[in-house]
Amino acid sequence: MTEERTAWHTLTGDQVLVALEATQNGLDEQEIEKRRSIFGENALLERRRVSLLSVFFDQFRNFMVIVLLIATLISGLLGEYTDALTIMAIVLANGILGFFQQVRAEKSLASLKQLTAPEARVMRNHAVSHVLATALVPGDIVLLEAGDRVPADCRLLTVRELATEESSLTGESVPVQKDERSISASQAPLGDRAGMVFMGTMVTRGKASAVVVETGMGTEMGRIAELIQTSESTLTPLEHRLNQLGRILVWLSLAITIIVVIAGVLHGHALYEMFLAGVSLAVAAIPEGLPAIVTIALALGVSRMIARNAIVRRLPSVETLGCATVICSDKTGTLTQNQMTVKRVWLEGIAYHVEGEGYQPSGQILRADGLRVDQDALLRLADVARVCNNATWRQEQGQVHTVGDPTEVALLVLAEKIGGTSSAQRVNEYPFDSDRKRMSVIAKDGARVTAYVKGAPDVLLSLCTHLFVNGERRPLTPALREKINSALAEMARDALRTIGLATRDAPNDSVAQERVERDLTFVGLVGMMDPPREEVASAIIECKRAGIKTVMITGDHRLTAEAVALRLGILPQNGRVMTGAELDPLSERALEDVVDQVYVYARVTPQHKLRIVKALQNRGHVVAMTGDGVNDAPAIKSADIGIAMGKSGTDVAKDASSLVLADDNFATIVAAIEEGRNIYDNIRKFIRYLLTSNVGEILTMFFAMMMGLPLPLLPIQILWVNLVTDGLPAIALGVDSPEPGTMMRPPRTMREGIFARGLGRQIITRGIAIGVVTLSIFAIALHLSVALKTAQTMAFATLVMAQLILVFDCRSVSHGIRERGIFGNPYLVAAVAISFMMLWIVMYLPALQPIFKTVPLSLSQWGAVLFAAVLPTLSVGARRARRRHSAREGTLRKAA
């Protein structure tokens, strides 16, 4: 025995028993205890959990949070305890929210454990016994039958018509037929390892005995668990940008404080006085409410996305979708319905198209040539589909309930679409066999005994001697065989899974299998597929318009994946298709070189999916990974945004994800992308508003001190502006409607800074304009011998009104108030009205005047204030008008 990973599927059953020093009679108790001490429990191990206290304090190690804590300290030193308490409340609220999000996000291993079998039937000491699955050790002989969950990775020893459902592990949409034979390819994909069964998969048919070869973290499920644990959750673009913003603000604050202190001292002011003035400016430079407003904007976006069937598990991920450049999607259950559906039928020389999708029995059956349907021929086909079938299908109150192999369920649904019933009673069965590749059932209908056969078309056709034509049995001539083969080839080209159906009269109900499966009469061909979801094709077109590439990643076969990708419009003319076997020899650098040309990955493992996501990220892409199975979970967690299916998705996939689609609808991703882009636009809007306002405040005070003037704004007034006037309108910007063309522009890149696309220039220029008009009002008032308190009140009112006008201009980066209007966002109108009322209250309510150091203003003073406040907006509007005029003239000159 060895701890090195062995390619068990390349060994025969006898060789595996020898390697494990085991026998088919099972291990004895002494050997079991010895192996348990070596290999441990057959359980998925969790990494050492971080204490809840550590998780909580981790929330306060964010750079922006540290900046805010510094601002709290500064505010306390200034005696502004209200400011300090407000900032602390914001920091604490954000920390608690992040704590609960992180605790909830660490459920992946617990959900993964639920997929392991609680008990197993094993052969020990020459007897069958039931033991806990955790007690299994390598060398144990496990007995499996339909309905069992496989308790560990096992090498099959004896097999009787065994099939296992492995879609959650491999992504393949149909159960995999198993046998005991070995294969030589050591790196064969999991779906091709017919001699192996894997922990957590389900037995859908047959019986088998198998020897346990890997337990716990050594299993394929264990490898996925390890990938989930070691996969790092990446910072979202929003988190990157807020960290960037925090650094800019803290350095700006320090620079302003140093410059003011030095300049003031050089002008003869006292050091202590200038230090307090510099610190006041530093506090003004930091938008204390920014984290809270970002959280509110994201939370509002979450509410809107829930209404569109997208459930967000991590708030920052809402914004991340807005800059996604690639969506990597699993095929089975995500792009397709995970319900095998018959799409085509060929019988008696005629091709038929079958309408409808999934397991609902709706949809017509139409002849390809448009002529009248031969109902008798279809009923003959339906009889074979119903009788030669071990699945069940029933409909209750509009809901379909199925049990069994999806291929057999598809045949039952086809029979329901055709109609009719069968009174034949089954009396004998020869189950499907991987060698024979067919299944036969003998049934009696009164005195008549009939054999019904289905199987691989090429095998079945070799056993047929006749064909039904116009309801009559006719000899199967070479020409007719060629016609059937042509129909079969056409279905194969369209990646349809094909099944042949045949029948014959039986002399009695106990006729031998060899006699039943010969001299058959060929009834017809059936072509089926797991159909794409109806809405996916249009959603992919929408993604292309938005500059987003869709990539299919599946464990299914290459031809099937390629056909679905072509039908959905994922695979372009020059796009590449790559299999896991082709991906394996590529180095990380080589994969990065080709990853932009590949649109479909087939026959891949969880490790492949993780490599693909990492390669795309290393190429600078923002990657969204969608999926529903256990095999998708590591890649979902490592992607910039992981998306899980809500209905069909496993708990493991959901817990590893940032976003869950409640309706399993790929089209919901498009809606989420639009919402994400709008949320980021709105965040930029209120960052522009907040920082422009703060720049105006800073420059007003900075230039006043540099000019030797008294302070135009008092600390309590700055605090009032930052936490009240800035806050309400900024929150209202968070619910602004999308600008036209939101989904027609390419995604922004990860490297794009928060101040990109002219935002920094707009903040500086508009902030200077607000600072200039505010200081001008203050200086003119002092020049006209107005009392200092009145001049400060005028400067205070000018600053507030300029900001309230500015907020309407911030609704668009490229358009002004005239284009987007004032009343397009009623919440913003209400927020501005409330802010103005609060300004009026602190200026005119006698009880508040001493606190805010304000006095009432006369009508003429108000006129001067309003004229100065509107000037920055008028100047920006004039510049935009000149640019539009110049652009029109340039267009006319080119046309001429």
Side-chain angles (χ1 to χ4, degrees):
M1 291 180 293
T2 175
E3 293 186 5
E4 293 181 6
R5 197 161 190 88
T6 304
W8 298 106
H9 58 281
T10 64
L11 305 177
T12 66
D14 289 339
Q15 288 173 329
V16 171
L17 289 174
V18 170
L20 293 172
E21 299 175 17
T23 70
Q24 297 215 29
N25 293 321
L27 304 173
D28 58 39
E29 288 301 325
Q30 184 178 357
E31 184 64 23
I32 291 167
E33 290 304 320
K34 176 183 174 183
R35 298 188 185 205
R36 187 175 292 127
S37 66
I38 297 172
F39 296 101
E41 278 198 338
N42 176 34
L44 302 181
L45 305 178
E46 296 186 48
R47 58 184 169 181
R48 187 177 61 84
R49 285 188 174 274
V50 179
S51 70
L52 293 179
L53 198 62
S54 297
V55 173
F56 179 72
F57 283 114
D58 280 345
Q59 310 305 314
F60 303 96
R61 291 173 186 161
N62 177 278
F63 189 78
M64 189 66 178
V65 171
I66 293 171
V67 171
L68 290 174
L69 291 175
I70 292 171
T72 304
L73 177 63
I74 293 171
S75 299
L77 291 174
L78 286 173
E80 301 295 343
Y81 302 114
T82 304
D83 194 1
L85 289 173
T86 302
I87 299 171
M88 281 301 298
I90 291 169
V91 170
L92 187 61
N94 283 332
I96 292 171
L97 183 63
F99 169 75
F100 282 111
Q101 287 171 345
Q102 186 168 340
V103 168
R104 196 171 87 177
E106 291 300 320
K107 290 181 179 177
S108 294
L109 262 294
S111 297
L112 199 56
K113 283 185 172 182
Q114 293 174 4
L115 288 181
T116 58
E119 281 194 348
R121 287 185 306 121
V122 298
M123 179 71 72
R124 286 182 173 177
N125 295 317
H126 299 265
V128 177
S129 59
H130 288 77
V131 301
L132 291 175
T134 55
L136 293 178
V137 295
D140 260 326
I141 304 300
V142 177
L143 305 178
L144 300 169
E145 62 182 25
D148 288 346
R149 194 178 291 279
V150 179
D153 284 6
C154 305
R155 177 66 173 86
L156 293 168
L157 300 175
T158 63
V159 175
R160 184 183 173 192
E161 318 308 331
L162 189 75
T164 58
E165 168 61 62
E166 298 179 352
S167 62
S168 66
L169 189 65
T170 66
E172 189 163 357
S173 54
V174 296
V176 179
Q177 187 68 31
K178 297 293 183 177
D179 57 53
E180 61 267 38
R181 291 175 296 184
S182 61
I183 59 175
S184 58
S186 61
Q187 299 298 319
L190 295 185
D192 292 342
R193 300 179 190 180
M196 297 285 297
V197 287
F198 304 101
M199 174 190 274
T201 61
M202 185 71 74
V203 178
T204 61
R205 182 177 67 231
K207 295 182 178 182
S209 66
V211 57
V212 174
V213 294
E214 299 285 355
T215 58
M217 297 301 285
T219 63
E220 293 298 330
M221 192 72 75
R223 296 179 72 185
I224 293 175
E226 187 174 359
L227 286 173
I228 294 173
Q229 291 184 33
T230 56
S231 297
E232 295 295 328
S233 298
T234 57
L235 283 177
T236 71
L238 178 62
E239 290 168 328
H240 279 297
R241 286 163 179 75
L242 289 180
N243 284 342
Q244 176 194 48
L245 178 59
R247 287 180 173 84
I248 291 172
L249 292 178
V250 75
W251 289 115
L252 179 64
S253 302
L254 289 173
I256 289 171
T257 301
I258 293 169
I259 291 172
V260 167
V261 170
I262 293 174
V265 170
L266 291 176
H267 279 85
H269 291 279
L271 177 62
Y272 175 73
E273 178 187 359
M274 293 315 303
F275 175 76
L276 288 180
V279 170
S280 298
L281 288 179
V283 172
I286 300 173
E288 297 90 343
L290 181 59
I293 294 169
V294 169
T295 301
I296 290 168
L298 292 173
L300 291 170
V302 166
S303 299
R304 290 193 297 269
M305 291 177 76
I306 288 173
R308 302 176 81 168
N309 291 312
I311 301 168
V312 176
R313 300 186 67 252
R314 291 184 64 235
L315 279 181
S317 65
V318 180
E319 172 271 337
T320 312
L321 263 181
C323 56
T325 58
V326 176
I327 299 176
C328 293
S329 178
D330 180 43
K331 177 185 74 69
T332 305
T334 306
L335 297 173
T336 64
Q337 299 179 23
N338 200 18
Q339 294 183 344
M340 292 300 291
T341 305
V342 175
K343 303 302 293 181
R344 211 171 300 171
V345 169
W346 187 96
L347 69 159
E348 302 193 6
I350 299 167
Y352 291 83
H353 293 295
V354 183
E355 295 180 336
E357 306 286 354
Y359 293 159
Q360 291 291 341
S362 57
Q364 293 181 300
I365 300 176
L366 306 172
R367 280 178 57 152
D369 55 15
L371 298 178
R372 186 177 63 84
V373 170
D374 186 343
Q375 189 64 22
D376 291 337
L378 287 172
L379 287 171
R380 214 168 5 254
L381 183 84
D383 280 345
V384 184
R386 279 195 182 96
V387 178
C388 192
N389 202 311
N390 286 323
T392 62
W393 178 98
R394 73 180 194 277
Q395 193 170 28
E396 294 178 356
Q397 299 178 343
Q399 295 294 316
V400 171
H401 302 276
T402 65
V403 177
D405 190 303
T407 299
E408 294 195 322
V409 174
L411 290 173
L412 290 180
V413 175
L414 172 65
E416 289 294 322
K417 290 179 180 179
I418 293 172
T421 58
S422 175
S423 56
Q425 299 296 314
R426 179 187 297 205
V427 293
N428 203 354
E429 175 189 350
Y430 300 107
F432 184 89
D433 182 279
S434 56
D435 292 325
R436 293 165 44 245
K437 295 184 178 179
R438 57 188 178 272
M439 169 189 178
S440 300
V441 169
I442 300 175
K444 291 182 70 173
D445 188 358
R448 184 176 181 182
V449 181
T450 307
Y452 300 89
V453 187
K454 75 169 187 283
D458 54 340
V459 173
L460 200 64
L461 199 56
S462 67
L463 302 172
C464 292
T465 57
H466 289 76
L467 170 74
F468 279 111
V469 178
N470 295 326
E472 298 179 0
R473 288 179 75 248
R474 294 186 181 177
L476 191 54
T477 63
L480 287 173
R481 287 182 186 275
E482 181 58 33
K483 201 170 184 179
I484 295 171
N485 284 325
S486 296
L488 182 62
E490 186 178 346
M491 290 184 185
R493 278 195 299 272
D494 292 336
L496 296 177
R497 299 178 188 270
T498 53
I499 293 178
L501 304 177
T503 186
R504 65 159 292 175
D505 291 333
N508 56 66
D509 57 10
S510 60
V511 64
Q513 175 186 311
E514 294 78 14
R515 293 183 60 196
V516 168
E517 296 176 346
R518 70 182 187 192
D519 299 329
L520 299 173
T521 300
F522 190 79
V523 175
L525 285 173
V526 171
M528 61 182 67
M529 69 181 300
D530 180 9
R533 294 177 178 272
E534 291 182 4
E535 67 282 345
V536 170
S538 58
I540 288 170
I541 292 173
E542 196 74 20
C543 287
K544 286 180 181 178
R545 288 177 185 156
I548 302 165
K549 176 184 177 182
T550 304
V551 177
M552 178 195 292
I553 305 179
T554 179
D556 217 332
H557 294 278
R558 178 179 186 138
L559 287 177
T560 304
E562 190 171 347
V564 172
L566 286 169
R567 183 170 174 179
L568 291 174
I570 292 175
L571 186 61
Q573 184 111 21
N574 58 347
R576 286 186 60 180
V577 179
M578 181 178 286
T579 64
E582 294 169 334
L583 192 151
D584 276 325
L586 296 180
S587 66
E588 300 306 318
R589 181 60 183 271
L591 179 58
E592 289 172 23
D593 289 340
V594 301
V595 74
D596 282 331
Q597 287 79 50
V598 182
Y599 288 79
V600 177
Y601 294 89
R603 228 59 181 140
V604 295
T605 65
Q607 290 84 355
H608 291 146
K609 294 183 180 185
L610 202 56
R611 286 188 65 194
I612 293 163
V613 169
K614 292 294 185 186
L616 286 165
Q617 289 173 327
N618 291 340
R619 293 284 293 178
H621 289 290
V622 178
V623 182
M625 174 70 196
T626 77
D628 60 353
V630 175
N631 58 318
D632 301 315
I636 285 174
K637 186 174 181 183
S638 291
D640 296 286
I641 178 162
I643 307 170
M645 302 296 110
K647 289 182 179 178
S648 62
T650 61
D651 287 342
V652 183
K654 293 174 190 175
D655 291 340
S657 69
S658 305
L659 186 74
V660 177
L661 305 183
D663 57 357
D664 285 13
N665 191 336
F666 185 87
T668 303
I669 298 173
V670 179
I673 288 172
E674 182 179 15
E675 194 62 58
R677 289 188 176 190
N678 185 44
I679 286 170
Y680 184 69
D681 286 347
N682 288 346
I683 289 173
R684 276 172 52 93
K685 290 174 188 177
F686 60 67
I687 285 176
R688 174 188 171 192
Y689 173 66
L690 289 176
L691 296 190
T692 300
S693 301
N694 287 1
V695 167
E697 296 165 23
I698 291 166
L699 294 181
T700 298
M701 299 182 71
F702 177 74
F703 288 132
M705 284 182 281
M706 296 297 286
M707 294 167 62
L709 296 172
L711 286 178
L713 298 169
L714 299 174
I716 189 66
Q717 294 170 344
I718 295 173
L719 174 63
W720 188 90
V721 171
N722 285 351
L723 295 183
V724 179
T725 308
D726 286 1
L728 286 176
I731 291 171
L733 282 174
V735 296
D736 209 11
S737 58
E739 288 193 60
T742 296
M743 289 298 287
M744 299 298 288
R745 65 174 188 251
R748 62 189 180 278
T749 66
M750 288 280 283
R751 294 181 295 275
E752 180 183 291
I754 198 78
F755 301 114
R757 290 180 277 153
L759 184 63
R761 175 180 50 79
Q762 290 175 333
I763 289 170
I764 296 298
T765 55
R766 191 62 175 268
I768 290 172
I770 290 174
V772 167
V773 297
T774 303
L775 187 60
S776 297
I777 283 289
F778 180 69
I780 291 170
L782 291 179
H783 181 71
L784 295 175
S785 301
V786 174
L788 177 60
K789 187 176 286 190
T790 302
Q792 287 173 332
T793 302
M794 291 180 69
F796 175 51
T798 302
L799 180 67
V800 170
M801 293 308 299
Q803 291 181 16
L804 295 182
I805 295 169
L806 163 71
V807 74
F808 291 103
D809 216 16
C810 289
R811 290 191 64 211
S812 173
V813 174
S814 55
H815 300 93
I817 293 176
R818 188 178 70 175
E819 289 84 357
R820 291 225 69 188
I822 292 176
F823 301 102
N825 184 342
Y827 300 102
L828 186 59
V829 174
V832 168
I834 292 170
S835 297
F836 179 74
M837 287 173 59
M838 295 178 75
L839 172 64
W840 191 272
I841 288 169
V842 299
M843 288 175 59
Y844 288 92
L845 192 66
L848 295 179
Q849 288 173 349
I851 297 174
F852 289 92
K853 310 295 189 296
T854 57
V855 296
L857 298 181
S858 65
L859 284 177
S860 60
Q861 289 168 339
W862 264 112
V865 164
L866 293 175
F867 175 76
V870 81
L871 276 178
T873 296
L874 291 177
S875 64
V876 170
R879 284 200 305 273
R880 282 182 177 143
R882 285 196 298 272
R883 283 200 302 268
R884 283 195 297 270
H885 180 70
S886 299
R888 279 196 299 269
E889 285 188 342
T891 303
L892 291 173
R893 282 196 297 271
K894 287 181 181 178

